[in-house]
């Protein structure tokens, strides 16, 4: 078929040299074993789109585990195999991984030839997949290296920028594909094809998403909220009526949409700081989405998503603390707009980064955003140079005063009362000599 063109040139041009060599190596081992080997799925989709993706998935017509073991033996890799699914992961010495799947489980008598039955088994394998754009396969075997197999019009849909299912029962068979459709559409700047959109709507009407387990639902949500620009996907989820499957009260009201969009800006700001600590973007968006949920509703949403109790209890209490803090800040600002650094520190320390960024996004006041910004970029790193041993060396006998003096020293550091180690030491000596240090500690709160 003319649709099955060769993209060997593209493989050579668009991939780093070692990735290209790796594909040839996979093909060579396939040749030696008489097995047809294909690169498949997202890797091929992105290659044709010119999007960087070195996440190579391989499908073998035959025993994929056997192929993985043979490849690993020749290239010094390790293999982790899953017999039940006939899949294996090849792990390279540098930690890089390749997923290997099998189109069928049995051996055929003459592995050297490629009878039609084998090709139709690749087709059968591809037919089980989610969208046409994910059904493209590139042969890696020497003689046919780079031959593109396109059974379901994937190339045309890539060209027309469409996300399209292969058959009408796709979403009923696997309701998580509803989320995947949105994720691909938004990430690639595609459109979900009209008929596919209708199938999503009828799947939603049939409540098929109630059949999806909490962990799988959470996983789909996390993947969407981890995308580079998830706001479009969130709007789309709301448009299809997917949010109530997480919690009946979850809706994208205009004020929530504002918080969600603000989250994007806050995260962009945070990334510009190039801080070393990773921030779980999806958690910030999740908090933003749940902005108007009551504490109980938020708890229920976590339960629906099978968030482990240990984690949801923590998130829950942090969220309560954070929202309480925001109220306290508003009240405090009404009294007096002058705020000391040590107060900011007091408000925010103990809250995870994600919660702080959420607070910055949901706060209506510019000041609050500035406080979060000061805390995140500067104040949370402030430390005293003296520790407990340092205080003991200055003559403080073991007592509860250690804590109060340490707190007082940190306040002095934060508010610029002491600006170097020497001044800190002098203040420490003063506090140790003074009556208990209890009086000075009061200024902290
Ligand atoms: N797949 C599917 N149905 C699902 C999940 C996955 O049919 N519910 C298929 C898709 O065809 C996909 C392949 O399995 O191409 C691999 O899945 P995954 O790694 O999630 O897809 P990628 O396309 O690689 O997505 P991403 O770019 O986000 O990694």
């Amino acid at each position: 078929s003319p649709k099955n063109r060769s993209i060997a040139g593209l493989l050579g041009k668009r991939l780093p040299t070692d990735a290209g060599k790796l594909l040839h190596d996979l093909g060579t081992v396939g040749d030696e074993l008489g097995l047809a080997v294909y690169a498949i799925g997202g890797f091929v989709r992105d290659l044709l789109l010119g999007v960087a993706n070195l996440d190579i998935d391989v499908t073998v017509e035959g025993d994929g585990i056997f192929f993985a073991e043979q490849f690993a033996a020749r290239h010094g890799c390790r293999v982790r195999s899953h017999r039940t699914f006939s899949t294996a992961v090849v792990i390279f010495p540098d930690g890089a991984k390749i997923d290997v799947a099998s189109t069928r489980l049995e051996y055929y008598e003459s592995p050297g030839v490629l009878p039609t039955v084998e090709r139709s088994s690749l087709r059968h394998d591809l037919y089980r997949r989610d969208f046409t754009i994910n059904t493209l396969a590139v042969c890696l075997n020497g003689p046919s290296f780079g031959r593109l197999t396109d059974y379901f019009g994937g190339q045309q849909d890539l060209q027309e920028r469409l996300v399209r299912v292969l058959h009408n029962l796709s979403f009923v068979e696997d309701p998580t594909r509803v989320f995947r459709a949105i994720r691909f559409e938004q990430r690639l700047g595609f459109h979900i094809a009209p008929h596919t959109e209708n199938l999503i709507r009828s799947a939603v009407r049939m409540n098929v998403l109630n059949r999806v387990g909490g962990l799988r639902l959470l996983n789909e949500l996390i993947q969407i909220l981890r995308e580079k620009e998830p706001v479009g996907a969130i709007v789309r989820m709301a448009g299809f009526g997917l949010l109530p499957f997480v919690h009946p009260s979850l809706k994208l009201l205009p004020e929530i949409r504002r918080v969600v969009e603000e989250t994007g800006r806050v995260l962009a700001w945070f990334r510009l700081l190039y801080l070393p600590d990773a921030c779980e973007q999806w958690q910030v968006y999740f908090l933003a989405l749940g902005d108007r949920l009551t504490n109980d509703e938020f708890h229920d949403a976590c339960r629906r998503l099978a968030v482990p109790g240990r984690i949801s209890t923590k998130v829950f209490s942090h969220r309560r603390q954070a929202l309480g803090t925001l109220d306290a800040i508003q009240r405090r600002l009404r009294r007096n707009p002058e705020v000391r650094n040590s107060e900011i520190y007091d408000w925010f320390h103990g809250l995870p980064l994600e919660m702080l960024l959420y607070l910055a996004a949901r706060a209506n006041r510019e000041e609050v955003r500035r406080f979060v910004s000061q805390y995140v970029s500067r104040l949370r790193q402030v430390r005293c140079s003296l520790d407990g041993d340092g205080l003991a060396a200055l003559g403080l006998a073991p007592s509860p005063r250690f804590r109060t003096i340490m707190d007082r020293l940190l306040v002095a550091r934060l508010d610029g009362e002491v600006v170097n180690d020497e001044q800190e030491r002098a203040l420490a000596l003063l506090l140790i000599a003074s009556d208990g240090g209890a009086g000075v500690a009061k200024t902290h709160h």
Side-chain angles (χ1 to χ4, degrees):
S1 141
K3 298 234 167 88
N4 294 357
R5 62 184 170 122
S6 170
I7 58 162
L10 216 52
L11 287 168
K13 206 172 59 202
R14 287 212 179 135
L15 290 178
T17 337
D18 34 340
K21 179 174 178 308
L22 171 61
L23 294 179
H24 279 289
D25 288 345
L26 288 162
T28 303
V29 173
D31 293 343
E32 285 169 25
L33 302 175
L35 295 171
V37 180
Y38 301 88
I40 216 159
F43 168 76
V44 186
R45 175 195 72 217
D46 289 342
L47 182 78
L48 291 174
L49 287 172
V51 174
N53 181 354
L54 293 179
D55 199 354
I56 300 173
D57 288 321
V58 161
T59 289
V60 174
E61 272 190 319
D63 187 342
I65 293 180
F66 175 67
F67 170 84
E69 283 164 349
Q70 293 292 316
F71 180 88
R74 287 169 176 71
H75 292 91
C77 308
R78 290 186 301 123
V79 178
R80 213 170 47 216
S81 44
H82 307 277
R83 299 265 157 210
T84 4
F85 303 110
S86 287
T87 60
V89 184
V90 175
I91 304 160
F92 288 80
D94 68 356
K97 291 181 186 142
I98 291 188
D99 285 319
V100 178
S102 320
T103 54
R104 62 146 198 275
L105 320 181
E106 333 78 341
Y107 286 104
Y108 277 70
E109 292 85 0
S110 42
V113 266
L114 297 175
T116 44
V117 58
E118 289 206 332
R119 240 188 262 140
S120 76
S121 76
L122 173 68
R123 185 181 202 281
H124 190 256
D125 182 83
L126 294 170
Y127 187 66
R128 293 189 324 227
R129 292 182 178 245
D130 48 4
F131 310 114
T132 59
I133 56 172
N134 289 335
T135 61
L136 295 165
V138 178
C139 185
L140 301 179
N141 293 81
S144 340
F145 185 85
R147 192 192 62 218
L148 188 69
T149 295
D150 180 6
Y151 287 117
F152 306 106
Q155 289 177 95
Q156 183 167 354
D157 286 340
L158 278 180
Q159 215 129 51
E160 294 175 16
R161 311 184 80 75
L162 289 174
V163 176
R164 185 202 304 278
V165 287
L166 279 74
H167 57 82
N168 288 348
L169 290 178
S170 195
F171 295 118
V172 177
E173 277 172 16
D174 180 354
T176 63
R177 288 176 174 168
V178 168
F179 293 94
R180 293 175 60 85
I182 293 173
R183 187 153 57 87
F184 289 124
E185 175 192 66
Q186 295 297 315
R187 183 204 296 169
L188 303 173
F190 280 31
H191 286 289
I192 296 173
H195 180 59
T196 299
E197 226 181 84
N198 286 336
L199 293 173
I200 293 181
R201 291 188 201 289
S202 73
V204 170
R205 270 198 306 276
M206 289 161 62
N207 290 320
V208 294
L209 282 157
N210 284 337
R211 294 199 331 249
V212 178
L215 212 57
R216 291 188 76 204
L217 190 57
L218 175 64
N219 188 43
E220 292 304 324
L221 211 54
I222 289 177
Q223 287 196 63
I224 283 193
L225 300 182
R226 273 187 181 155
E227 289 285 323
K228 209 176 273 160
E229 306 277 354
V231 177
I234 292 172
V235 171
R236 204 73 162 113
M237 283 196 287
F240 280 121
L242 298 176
L243 298 181
F245 289 101
V246 177
H247 192 281
S249 314
L250 206 59
K251 297 191 189 75
L252 197 61
L253 305 168
E255 58 268 33
I256 295 177
R257 186 164 171 168
R258 185 196 67 80
V259 178
V260 165
E261 279 168 1
E262 204 54 54
T263 297
R265 282 189 277 277
V266 168
L267 284 163
W269 159 78
F270 177 75
R271 278 187 218 104
L272 280 179
L273 294 174
Y274 295 112
L275 294 172
D277 36 358
C279 155
E280 280 287 10
Q281 164 182 311
W282 74 265
Q283 294 179 4
V284 189
Y285 277 112
F286 184 72
L287 289 165
L289 258 180
D291 190 66
R292 290 303 149 103
L293 296 186
T294 64
N295 283 327
D296 285 343
E297 289 171 337
F298 192 83
H299 222 198
D300 288 343
C302 287
R303 200 168 313 137
R304 166 64 180 106
L305 296 171
V307 176
R310 179 176 47 83
I311 297 174
S312 73
T313 305
K314 205 155 86 190
V315 176
F316 180 61
S317 89
H318 280 150
R319 179 175 182 267
R320 193 145 61 174
Q321 186 189 337
L323 295 176
T325 298
L326 205 52
D327 284 343
I329 295 174
Q330 315 270 21
R331 281 198 305 274
R332 169 69 182 73
L333 286 175
R334 254 176 263 137
R335 268 203 335 269
N336 174 2
E338 293 296 317
V339 170
R340 278 172 292 122
N341 286 344
S342 54
E343 288 179 275
I344 301 177
Y345 187 93
D346 221 39
W347 287 332
F348 296 146
H349 94 277
L351 288 176
L353 188 56
E354 289 79 7
M355 203 59 80
L356 295 176
L357 298 182
Y358 160 57
L359 279 191
R362 73 109 55 194
N364 270 315
R365 302 182 67 141
E366 192 46 49
E367 297 99 308
V368 176
R369 253 171 250 161
R370 213 180 55 237
F371 298 150
V372 171
S373 153
Q374 277 171 3
Y375 177 78
V376 168
S377 58
R378 207 161 50 81
L379 300 179
R380 69 187 170 132
Q381 281 95 306
V382 172
R383 299 277 181 278
C384 292
S385 63
L386 284 169
D387 55 6
D389 289 344
L391 286 184
L394 291 180
L396 184 63
S399 80
R401 289 179 63 204
F402 267 94
R403 187 73 262 145
T404 48
I405 293 183
M406 291 292 288
D407 285 349
R408 182 64 188 85
L409 290 177
L410 184 60
V411 168
R413 275 273 175 180
L414 286 163
D415 292 342
E417 288 168 54
V418 305
V419 297
N420 56 38
D421 294 359
E422 204 179 323
Q423 291 178 3
E424 184 185 310
R425 207 179 107 96
L427 177 60
L429 284 169
L430 204 69
L431 293 171
I432 291 170
S434 79
D435 180 27
V440 281
K442 264 192 213 133
T443 53
H444 190 179
H445 292 290

